[in-house]
């Protein structure tokens, strides 16, 4: 793989990478590290379910909220004041950041990095977090872990929620910095409290996955439920799926299959792959709904169109027992649903 990336070469960017969705009926494929955002990226726990097996140096450390030394204190104050002045005095800074993020999301990493660097030099904390992420991973430039960590920590010092989330992920898995899961989760909490949507959603994913894999949960049940609800209300796909899982299994919430269907439908509309699979499985087995092979096949078919291999295998298996008329109807349902949820 080339050390330089100008455009996306099959790489999923942090803005579009799902966490690890929890499913009772699927096992998600493994991914390469380069393909992943912050939480090794986004906490690569294997999906847990009722119907299949579970599949599953030392860099500079962040001082725990403190900047030691008089000169360091002065520098920290200066950086913070600069960032505040830029944010208050220049509406164009926000416009510039939004444009840079659009370029980044389009996969034009070289031009995006140049824009982020310019904004970071002016004190923009969010831009600093992008610069740190891109330098450490070598996106749009040759990798430079030391510089990447330095920029990320500056963004953390300025209190940027995205930086909290990304740096927390690095600490949690020991990527680019010395591993410290406890401090990593502490930073993710700060990100959630700062409104970072993925940070809020990941609490439920972490807790459910830990339970299903019989491992120690790094978060509490109370905060898992709290942040999952907050993120679900904001429409985050993984949180919507987690709500469906909780209702379907009576986990942290009273079991309610109709409610599970409702939340899975919301997650499916947000293109959550495991929600599509869950709906297919529930219609196939008649869980919370009347068993309907045609409807089940249509959900698996929609999932397979998003290139999830497991869904395609299930769809093909179901199709073997269906008539041509049923297959046609299922495809029509899938087409109608896909058209309504582009």
């Amino acid at each position: 793989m080339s050390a330089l990336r100008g455009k996306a070469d099959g790489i999923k960017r942090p803005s579009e990478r799902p966490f690890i969705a929890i499913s009772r009926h699927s096992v998600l494929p493994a991914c390469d590290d380069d393909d992943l955002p912050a939480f090794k990226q986004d906490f690569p726990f294997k999906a847990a379910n009722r119907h299949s097996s579970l599949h599953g140096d030392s860099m500079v450390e962040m001082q725990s909220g403190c900047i030691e030394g008089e000169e360091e204190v002065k520098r920290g104050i200066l950086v913070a004041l600069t960032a505040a002045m830029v944010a208050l005095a220049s509406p164009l800074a926000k416009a510039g950041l939004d444009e840079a993020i659009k370029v980044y999301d389009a996969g034009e990493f070289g031009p995006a990095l140049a824009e982020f660097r310019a904004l970071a030099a002016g004190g923009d904390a969010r831009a600093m977090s992008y610069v740190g992420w891109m330098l450490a991973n070598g996106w749009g430039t040759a990798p430079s872990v030391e510089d990447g960590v330095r920029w990320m920590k500056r963004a953390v010092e300025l209190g940027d929620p995205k930086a909290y989330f990304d740096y927390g992920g690095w600490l949690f898995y020991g990527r680019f910095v010395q591993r410290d899961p406890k401090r990593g989760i502490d930073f993710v909490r700060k990100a959630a409290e700062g409104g970072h949507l993925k940070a809020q959603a990941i609490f439920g994913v972490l807790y459910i996955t830990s339970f299903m894999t019989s491992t120690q949960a790094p978060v509490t049940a109370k905060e898992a439920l709290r942040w999952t609800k907050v993120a679900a209300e904001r429409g985050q796909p993984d949180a919507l799926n987690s709500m469906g899982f909780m209702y379907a299994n009576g986990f942290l919430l009273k079991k309610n299959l109709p409610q599970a269907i409702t939340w899975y439908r919301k997650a499916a509309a947000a293109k959550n792959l495991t929600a599509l699979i869950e709906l297919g499985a529930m219609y196939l087995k008649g869980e919370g709904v009347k068993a309907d092979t045609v409807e089940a096949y249509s959900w698996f078919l929609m999932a397979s169109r998003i290139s999830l291999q497991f869904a395609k295998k299930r769809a093909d298996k179901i199709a073997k027992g269906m008539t041509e008329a049923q297959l046609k109807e299922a495809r029509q349902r899938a087409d109608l649903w896909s058209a309504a949820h582009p």
Side-chain angles (χ1 to χ4, degrees):
M1 184 176 294
S2 171
L4 296 176
R5 291 192 178 94
K7 296 185 67 174
D9 44 2
I11 298 170
K12 292 186 182 295
R13 295 165 291 287
S15 61
E16 66 183 24
R17 180 74 194 175
F19 294 116
I20 297 300
I22 305 300
S23 170
R24 302 170 299 159
H25 306 94
S26 67
V27 177
L28 300 185
C31 306
D32 294 330
D33 270 357
D34 281 347
D35 183 49
L36 304 169
F39 271 87
K40 174 112 185 201
Q41 311 273 338
D42 287 325
F43 290 96
F45 293 105
K46 306 304 180 182
N49 57 74
R50 302 176 303 168
H51 305 294
S52 62
S53 301
L54 295 176
H55 288 266
D57 290 49
S58 176
M59 296 297 170
V60 290
E61 291 188 4
M62 182 72 182
Q63 299 296 329
S64 304
C66 300
I67 306 176
E68 299 182 355
E70 183 178 351
E71 291 304 315
E72 287 297 299
V73 170
K74 290 179 179 178
R75 182 180 66 81
I77 293 173
L78 179 60
V79 171
L81 287 174
T82 301
M85 289 166 63
V86 170
L88 290 173
S90 178
L92 292 177
K94 175 69 163 59
L97 179 64
D98 290 343
E99 185 61 31
I101 292 174
K102 288 180 181 178
V103 174
Y104 174 84
D105 287 341
E108 299 287 346
F109 296 142
L113 180 58
E115 291 292 329
F116 286 133
R117 280 183 180 276
L119 291 164
D124 190 301
R126 179 58 53 87
M128 291 178 190
S129 71
Y130 274 99
V131 171
W133 171 255
M134 297 179 78
L135 290 178
N137 286 280
W139 285 22
T141 185
S144 177
V145 171
E146 183 177 355
D147 286 341
V149 171
R150 179 171 58 84
W151 276 108
M152 187 66 75
K153 289 173 66 174
R154 287 184 65 184
V156 166
E157 289 171 4
L158 292 174
D160 179 61
K162 179 184 180 299
Y164 285 149
F165 180 71
D166 290 345
Y167 190 68
W170 288 359
L171 284 169
F172 191 88
Y173 268 99
R175 184 174 174 82
F176 306 132
V177 295
Q178 185 172 331
R179 187 168 187 265
D180 190 338
K182 185 178 183 301
R183 286 184 63 227
I185 290 297
D186 286 343
F187 276 109
V188 176
R189 287 193 180 95
K190 290 183 178 181
E193 290 164 359
H196 193 281
L197 188 54
K198 288 187 177 181
Q200 294 171 346
I202 207 169
F203 278 88
V205 175
L206 286 171
Y207 193 82
I208 295 171
T209 305
S210 296
F211 175 80
M212 297 296 288
T213 55
S214 300
T215 56
Q216 180 66 41
V219 299
T220 68
K222 183 177 180 179
E223 63 184 346
L225 182 58
R226 173 200 171 193
W227 287 120
T228 297
K229 287 182 174 180
V230 169
E233 289 173 358
R234 296 177 64 190
Q236 209 286 332
D238 297 288
L240 295 171
N241 183 70
S242 292
M243 289 293 292
F245 182 92
M246 291 176 184
Y247 276 117
N249 293 276
F251 185 76
L252 301 183
L253 293 169
K254 185 177 180 180
K255 186 171 183 177
N256 186 324
L257 292 179
Q259 275 292 329
I261 293 286
T262 296
W263 284 104
Y264 278 139
R265 281 184 173 276
K266 291 180 180 180
K271 293 296 190 296
N272 183 279
L273 295 174
T274 50
L276 291 165
I277 291 175
E278 286 295 316
L279 287 167
M282 294 178 81
Y283 274 100
L284 186 64
K285 297 175 177 295
E287 296 180 345
V289 291
K290 182 179 179 181
D292 186 335
T293 302
V294 174
E295 185 70 9
Y297 178 76
S298 71
W299 286 109
F300 281 116
L301 183 60
M302 287 183 280
S304 69
R305 289 175 177 176
I306 312 179
S307 300
L308 189 61
Q309 191 61 32
F310 178 85
K312 186 177 186 306
K313 289 181 179 179
R314 290 296 298 270
D316 291 344
K317 184 176 180 180
I318 295 171
K320 292 179 180 179
M322 298 172 66
T323 66
E324 282 300 320
Q326 289 177 320
L327 288 170
K328 181 179 180 180
E329 182 181 350
R331 293 188 186 107
Q332 289 176 339
R333 293 185 190 182
D335 290 343
L336 288 172
W337 190 89
S338 296
H341 303 86

